Amino acid sequence: ARLGKFAQTSEIGIGPDSPELPRPKRPLLDASKLRAHEGRESKPSWASGQSAERLPPSRITQETETVHRTRCHTNCLEKPLSRAFERLGRCVGSHPWIFLLVPILLTAALGIGFIYLPKEEEENLEEQYTPIGSPAKAERRFVQAHFTTNDSYRFSSTRSSSETNFASILVVSNSETLLESEIFEEVSKLDQAVQTLSVRKENGAPIHYREVCAKYRTFCVPSNPLLYVWQRNKTLDLKTFTFPMHNFKNHFIYLAGFFGGNTLGDAVGQNHLLLETKAMRLLYYLKTEVKEDSEQSKEWLVHFLDEFYNLKEKLAFKNIQMVHFTSLSRQLEFEATSMTVVPLFHLAYLLIIIFAIISCYRFDCVRNKMWVAIFGVVSAAFAVVSGFGLMLYIGVPFVIIVANSPFLILGVGVDDMFIMISAWQKTSLMDSIKERMATVYSKVAVSITITTITNVLAFYTGIMSSFRSVQYFCIYTGTTLLFCYFYNITCFGAFMALDGKREILCLRWLKKPDQKYSSLKKACCLPFSSVPDEQGTDIHPMNLFFRDYFGPVLTRTMSKFFVVVIYILYIISSIYGCFQVQEGLDLRNLASDDSYITPYFNVEEDYFSDYGPRVMIIITESINYWDEDVREKLEKCIENFKENDYVERNLTEFWLHTYMDYMKRNGQDPNDKDTFMNGMSQFLHKFPAFTYDINITSNEIISSRGFIQTMGVSSSTNKKIMLLQLRETAEKCEIPLMVYNQAFIYFDQYAAIIENTVRNIMVASTAMFIVSLLLIPHPMCSLWVTFAIASVIVGVTGFMAFWNVNLDSISMINLVICIGFSFDFSAHISYAFVSSTKTSVNQKSIEALYLLGYPVLQSAISTIIGVCVLATAKAYIFRTFFKIMFLVMVFGAAHGLIFIPVFLTFF
């Protein structure tokens, strides 16, 4: 359970009737005795499990001196907070309807904020799931400022600074190779069918493919260069083409990325014969630069998505299979995933309500808190409505991963409810409602406050993340937890006070049945009609299980040996897994499992993973290109790029190389500035593709760019290494260089995710350590809390790899969360151990488990129940949340119930 749930044990704050209570350390015990002597009820430390004890008058002076001499600093926080809550409890008990209705009205008012919940607005994946201020975004701004493109006349996808609108079809042959005329004929029919698709505007005018396609001169850019050549001369021998470049009538055709699953033959110059190929890519680029053209392109793409399956069924090809994808697919499919969890909300609430009823149900009909437990879940729902409504009011963007938050809030938010119910059941039925509420609030004040502080701190540290989606999730969840805290001490407390009046009525009816009491009042006393012990206490059987069975077995020598062996295996497996975990968010995981983009990416990974993005090498400043020394330095830098393991050295494209050959053929001197600059216009006229690679202003080359082809970067690790190595090579060059590709916007997450995760974990862990020092002023406790946090984080991270969970912005949220939960699980167990006055370490451990074992178990179960429904979700982002929260709860509870109780006995 969270920190606060530890207060719900049957012994904490019960009073002198509590059986077998532990004796706390001297300062805390003396303070309790002194307060008892002064005629006030003892308010023991939030984790000590103490009860009041009367002091003989002869010892008052001595104990007072001890208190002043060794006063525990936690009292500076505990005492005033307990008194403030005691006064609040009296107010709630005196005016329950006010404290019930005002929060409900506040919920209704804040709930209006849901009108601002985005319905059709697109969630920008780049903005939410890529690092804020990443280097690639600055590189893109530079490219956009210094280089232009023209997708209406001379389109080039490699020269675009941002992703263009496109549709892509991967064609896979059912036979060994696609290089057969019969198969090419089917692919050609598919190509023609796609290009004949048209969609009508709202005004009824049709939008044809030729109107929206990106053009090279006056023609649409071919979907596949080899297919384009074959369509114009179907007598060509398809076995004579070379890969990755083919010289067709002195024009080089670039085939890398258009064919996959290749079998290459003999070398032909720097290329090889393409003997067999299994898959082919068809790319339909559409206009993007002009807003009106882009909107029409998107309309055509939506129509393409709607018609593709009909087209596939109509063509019914026998020799090929097809998968498709568009530039809109990730966005559309990602937005659709949010709808997959809506039905799960109802199931989650039902499960939590059932769990709350079972946890709070008592055979004592008067003390039965079934309806109070149900309202506690409703109170958590109020917190979700209020927290989300407030955030929407003030304009905090709602991103899809925030949809995970209500499931977590349900599991965590009911914890304080259990504490308050448990404390209520330790009060006497003979006391007034006002006094009983004062007692309850004074007992739970510190525990539920510390619970809220630790959990909210853990979430708010996530605001420092470089990923906006993480920031927004943490803001929504942290704020909602604060509302949970507020509603628990107001409207839930008020409902509990009203239920206290029911207890009195039921007790009176049981003592003296009278027909004047309505059948409703009789029903509230079902299922049993026995008169409860008015002065009795409610000790849960699970507490006795931990004291009489679990604790003694765990502290046996043989059991300790097995626990140590299990922990060694656990930590070794976890450390190994930490080195196996993959980094970064795979964009295919943003869609649901049954999405059409999943098979597309699978085929792409199987057949098209050899070649990566084509990267720009940008000369960012004006240099003397006509200076031979400068050219030598630049050429040395280009060679350094070619020597990289992730670069295909034979596919480099650089205008300066072509210009030097051009000048030499024309007998011009490339070392003369005037000759160099004057020949540029004629060169660009002859080689127009380089027009957009050279920024000439006032007869000076401000900046220019070339291109290199990357390869072997299919995994996230290779993408990160490639990106860092290329940037490092650019920085080391004597010429000012920059590398960029539009895919780097997403590759930057691989480099940033570990840094962000480590920073957030360090900050949150430091915050937890400070909290433990301030509120649990015992060095040994702080050390064990730190140990538990580190151990759980290592375990969760390591087992993520075994459960196929990447370290990305989604899992990073959960790693930060687990810090707060690890603190909750470990702090009280270790403090109860060191505070015990039992004579042996085994008895200390048993006592700690007796006091706190069941709350730890109950809290872990409640949280798992809250998120377990996400295991059935069809989307990765929701299943990942369940997986990591499950690991956090299991490992956290294992540390609190098994590892720490055993390890403490060794010291």
Side-chain angles (χ1 to χ4, degrees):
R2 300 313 147 261
L3 262 179
K5 290 201 65 175
F6 304 137
Q8 74 165 303
T9 58
S10 58
E11 288 72 33
I12 296 180
I14 297 173
D17 294 329
S18 303
E20 212 171 326
L21 289 175
R23 295 185 179 275
K25 293 293 184 181
R26 192 68 173 176
L28 296 177
L29 180 61
D30 293 344
S32 300
K33 292 179 179 180
L34 182 60
R35 288 195 297 269
H37 176 75
E38 292 171 350
R40 294 190 298 270
E41 183 183 5
S42 171
K43 310 255 186 335
S45 180
W46 56 274
S48 63
Q50 314 156 32
S51 65
E53 231 180 277
R54 297 287 179 178
L55 284 179
S58 60
R59 294 181 55 194
I60 294 176
T61 304
Q62 177 184 353
E63 299 294 350
T64 304
E65 292 175 356
T66 303
V67 170
H68 286 294
R69 194 167 55 245
T70 60
R71 187 172 191 137
C72 184
H73 293 292
T74 191
N75 286 339
C76 298
L77 296 174
E78 176 194 5
K79 188 174 182 179
L81 188 61
S82 295
R83 287 181 174 176
F85 265 71
E86 185 177 2
R87 289 192 293 270
L88 176 62
R90 285 196 175 92
C91 291
V92 173
S94 301
H95 311 285
W97 284 107
I98 295 177
F99 284 90
L100 177 65
L101 296 178
V102 170
I104 292 177
L105 294 176
L106 177 63
T107 301
L110 293 177
I112 300 176
F114 276 83
I115 63 176
Y116 300 105
L117 185 68
K119 294 180 176 61
E120 299 181 357
E121 181 181 353
E122 293 184 355
E123 181 175 322
N124 191 316
L125 299 184
E126 177 189 312
E127 180 181 352
Q128 302 301 336
Y129 297 95
T130 60
I132 301 171
S134 68
K137 294 178 180 178
E139 295 161 359
R140 179 173 60 186
R141 289 193 294 270
F142 182 91
V143 173
Q144 292 173 338
H146 290 80
F147 301 98
T148 60
T149 55
N150 187 346
D151 60 11
S152 297
Y153 185 74
R154 204 173 296 279
F155 174 80
S156 174
S157 60
T158 60
R159 289 168 168 82
S160 300
S161 59
S162 301
E163 187 178 72
T164 59
N165 295 325
F166 70 90
S168 176
I169 301 176
L170 300 183
V171 179
V172 181
S173 173
N174 293 330
S175 59
E176 293 297 324
T177 179
L178 274 166
L179 299 178
E180 302 289 345
S181 297
E182 181 182 359
I183 297 179
F184 257 60
E185 187 66 42
E186 289 189 352
V187 177
S188 181
K189 290 181 180 179
L190 170 64
D191 179 61
Q192 293 172 4
V194 171
Q195 296 193 35
T196 57
L197 288 176
S198 62
V199 61
R200 294 194 175 276
K201 302 179 185 178
E202 294 182 357
N203 58 10
I207 302 176
H208 299 288
Y209 172 73
R210 292 189 176 276
E211 297 177 27
V212 295
C213 68
K215 291 182 170 59
Y216 188 82
R217 295 182 179 175
T218 58
F219 301 99
C220 292
V221 175
S223 59
N224 183 289
L226 183 55
L227 177 65
Y228 178 79
V229 171
W230 183 86
Q231 286 174 332
R232 275 144 187 79
N233 185 3
K234 295 185 179 181
T235 63
L236 287 175
D237 185 0
L238 295 173
K239 300 294 179 66
T240 61
F241 285 88
T242 59
F243 187 87
M245 300 280 287
H246 177 72
N247 188 346
F248 180 74
K249 296 181 179 180
N250 295 324
H251 291 283
F252 283 97
I253 302 175
Y254 188 75
L255 300 181
F258 284 98
F259 292 90
N262 305 319
T263 300
L264 302 181
D266 297 334
V268 181
Q270 295 180 345
N271 300 286
H272 293 265
L273 284 174
L274 183 61
L275 300 181
E276 294 181 352
T277 184
K278 185 69 174 176
M280 175 191 296
R281 187 194 304 269
L282 303 179
L283 268 173
Y284 301 90
Y285 287 109
L286 308 180
K287 295 178 183 178
T288 309
E289 295 176 358
V290 180
K291 184 177 181 180
E292 182 179 352
D293 291 339
S294 180
E295 292 301 322
Q296 290 189 0
S297 297
K298 290 179 180 179
E299 290 183 43
W300 187 90
L301 286 176
V302 172
H303 181 68
F304 168 82
L305 292 174
D306 293 337
E307 292 295 321
F308 182 80
Y309 287 107
N310 294 333
L311 192 68
K312 185 177 178 180
E313 184 178 349
K314 179 180 179 181
L315 294 173
F317 292 133
K318 298 179 180 180
N319 297 313
I320 59 175
Q321 299 178 18
M322 301 167 289
V323 290
H324 66 297
F325 180 78
T326 74
S327 54
L328 301 180
S329 295
R330 279 194 296 261
Q331 186 73 51
L332 296 176
E333 292 300 291
F334 183 59
E335 292 170 359
T337 59
S338 61
M339 301 305 297
T340 63
V341 298
V342 172
L344 301 180
F345 282 115
H346 308 91
L347 179 59
Y349 273 92
L350 177 62
L351 292 176
I352 288 294
I353 288 175
I354 293 174
F355 176 75
I357 292 174
I358 294 174
S359 297
C360 300
Y361 189 82
R362 295 294 183 270
F363 291 123
D364 182 341
C365 66
V366 173
R367 294 182 182 271
N368 182 28
K369 293 298 175 184
M370 180 177 66
W371 294 108
V372 177
I374 294 175
F375 187 83
V377 179
V378 174
S379 176
F382 287 168
V384 172
V385 173
S386 300
F388 280 39
L390 176 61
M391 294 298 99
L392 292 170
Y393 258 132
I394 63 179
V396 179
F398 183 90
V399 295
I400 289 181
I401 64 170
V402 174
N404 285 304
S405 182
F407 297 97
L408 178 63
I409 297 299
L410 276 179
V412 177
V414 297
D415 290 346
D416 291 348
M417 169 194 77
F418 291 132
I419 304 167
M420 297 177 69
I421 290 176
S422 179
W424 173 271
Q425 290 176 333
K426 305 305 180 291
T427 59
S428 172
L429 291 170
M430 302 304 295
D431 293 338
S432 66
I433 299 296
K434 182 169 65 175
E435 291 303 317
R436 294 177 73 183
M437 290 299 297
T439 301
V440 169
Y441 274 54
S442 67
K443 296 299 182 185
V444 305
V446 179
S447 63
I448 66 174
T449 302
I450 300 309
T451 299
T452 303
I453 290 175
T454 54
N455 288 327
V456 171
L457 272 178
F459 281 106
Y460 280 167
T461 54
I463 299 176
M464 298 183 302
S465 170
S466 297
F467 296 86
R468 295 193 186 277
S469 57
V470 176
Q471 293 179 349
Y472 298 146
F473 176 88
C474 292
I475 291 173
Y476 271 88
T477 309
T479 304
T480 304
L481 284 177
L482 287 176
F483 273 102
C484 275
Y485 174 74
F486 173 71
Y487 286 161
N488 273 319
I489 63 177
T490 53
C491 66
F492 175 73
F495 190 87
M496 193 163 59
L498 293 174
D499 186 73
K501 296 182 179 181
R502 177 201 63 83
E503 290 182 354
I504 296 174
L505 293 176
C506 287
L507 182 62
R508 290 176 180 173
W509 184 85
L510 288 174
K511 284 184 175 181
K512 188 177 180 180
D514 195 324
Q515 293 301 322
K516 70 179 181 179
Y517 288 98
S518 67
S519 59
L520 180 63
K521 292 178 182 177
K522 297 178 185 180
C524 75
C525 293
L526 293 176
F528 300 101
S529 58
S530 60
V531 180
D533 181 3
E534 298 176 15
Q535 301 294 336
T537 59
D538 186 11
I539 302 177
H540 200 283
M542 285 298 296
N543 294 96
L544 302 179
F545 166 78
F546 277 98
R547 184 189 66 185
D548 299 336
Y549 300 98
F550 184 81
V553 171
L554 187 66
T555 52
R556 292 176 183 172
T557 303
M558 186 59 67
S559 299
K560 293 180 183 180
F561 172 77
F562 280 113
V563 168
V564 172
V565 171
I566 291 173
Y567 182 79
I568 293 174
L569 294 176
Y570 158 81
I571 203 67
I572 292 175
S573 302
S574 300
I575 294 174
Y576 172 77
C578 288
F579 290 99
Q580 305 302 315
V581 68
Q582 295 292 313
E583 303 162 26
L585 180 63
D586 189 340
L587 295 180
R588 83 183 75 181
N589 291 329
L590 296 178
S592 58
D593 299 339
D594 54 0
S595 170
Y596 61 86
I597 75 173
T598 301
Y600 176 89
F601 278 109
N602 291 338
V603 171
E604 188 174 53
E605 185 176 330
D606 291 339
Y607 298 110
F608 295 92
S609 58
D610 291 341
Y611 291 93
R614 195 160 174 78
V615 178
M616 302 178 192
I617 300 178
I618 305 165
I619 303 167
T620 58
E621 298 178 8
S622 177
I623 63 174
N624 298 330
Y625 293 92
W626 53 85
D627 189 326
E628 189 173 0
D629 292 337
V630 173
R631 290 201 303 271
E632 288 180 358
K633 292 179 181 179
L634 181 57
E635 188 62 30
K636 182 180 179 181
C637 295
I638 300 298
E639 285 299 319
N640 290 337
F641 281 110
K642 290 182 179 180
E643 293 173 1
N644 191 286
D645 294 336
Y646 297 105
V647 175
E648 170 59 73
R649 62 180 302 111
N650 297 324
L651 295 178
T652 300
E653 179 185 4
F654 192 25
W655 68 270
L656 188 58
H657 294 162
T658 307
Y659 190 40
M660 289 297 100
D661 294 339
Y662 171 81
M663 296 187 77
K664 290 177 181 178
R665 287 197 304 268
N666 293 332
Q668 297 175 328
D669 182 11
N671 299 319
D672 179 72
K673 177 180 179 181
D674 293 335
T675 304
F676 188 96
M677 296 303 301
N678 292 336
M680 189 66 69
S681 59
Q682 188 175 358
F683 166 74
L684 294 178
H685 179 74
K686 188 174 181 62
F687 298 93
F690 293 128
T691 302
Y692 301 102
D693 295 338
I694 309 171
N695 183 355
I696 301 178
T697 304
S698 301
N699 202 35
E700 182 179 2
I701 301 177
I702 302 300
S703 58
S704 68
R705 63 184 173 182
F707 300 89
I708 56 176
Q709 177 64 55
T710 60
M711 57 186 298
V713 291
S714 58
S715 71
S716 60
T717 301
N718 290 341
K719 289 174 182 176
K720 181 181 73 170
I721 295 174
M722 178 270 292
L723 178 60
L724 296 178
Q725 288 182 354
L726 292 185
R727 284 177 176 166
E728 183 180 4
T729 302
E731 290 177 2
K732 290 182 178 179
C733 183
E734 296 182 52
I735 304 297
L737 295 183
M738 172 191 296
V739 291
Y740 173 73
N741 180 276
Q742 54 193 253
F744 286 2
I745 300 293
Y746 292 95
F747 287 5
D748 267 336
Q749 65 168 314
Y750 304 129
I753 192 68
I754 290 183
E755 176 188 348
N756 274 259
T757 303
V758 172
R759 183 179 67 243
N760 290 342
I761 287 175
M762 292 296 294
V763 172
S765 299
T766 302
M768 296 300 106
F769 184 74
I770 293 174
V771 169
S772 66
L773 284 178
L774 291 176
L775 300 172
I776 319 176
H778 196 294
M780 183 61 70
C781 287
S782 299
L783 291 176
W784 282 111
V785 168
T786 305
F787 161 79
I789 290 175
S791 182
V792 172
I793 289 175
V794 171
V796 172
T797 306
F799 278 77
M800 280 168 48
F802 304 140
W803 214 346
N804 298 321
V805 176
N806 288 359
L807 179 60
D808 51 37
S809 57
I810 298 171
S811 56
M812 182 174 64
I813 293 172
N814 295 274
L815 289 177
V816 175
I817 292 173
C818 82
I819 296 172
F821 292 163
S822 302
F823 177 90
D824 294 347
F825 284 131
S826 60
H828 284 287
I829 289 286
S830 58
Y831 191 74
F833 179 92
V834 299
S835 299
S836 175
T837 56
K838 295 293 185 179
T839 56
S840 70
V841 289
N842 285 346
Q843 290 176 336
K844 290 174 180 284
S845 183
I846 293 172
E847 185 175 67
L849 289 170
Y850 170 51
L851 293 174
L852 307 172
Y854 180 55
V856 168
L857 181 63
Q858 189 179 33
S859 176
I861 293 175
S862 67
T863 304
I864 289 175
I865 289 175
V867 300
C868 71
V869 294
L870 294 177
T872 63
K874 295 182 179 180
Y876 167 87
I877 58 176
F878 299 113
R879 284 199 310 274
T880 295
F881 195 84
F882 159 74
K883 289 180 179 180
I884 300 185
M885 287 306 303
F886 179 83
L887 292 175
V888 170
M889 291 299 107
V890 171
F891 291 158
H895 279 72
L897 297 178
I898 301 174
F899 296 142
I900 289 181
V902 169
F903 294 162
L904 284 169
T905 63
F906 298 150
F907 298 93

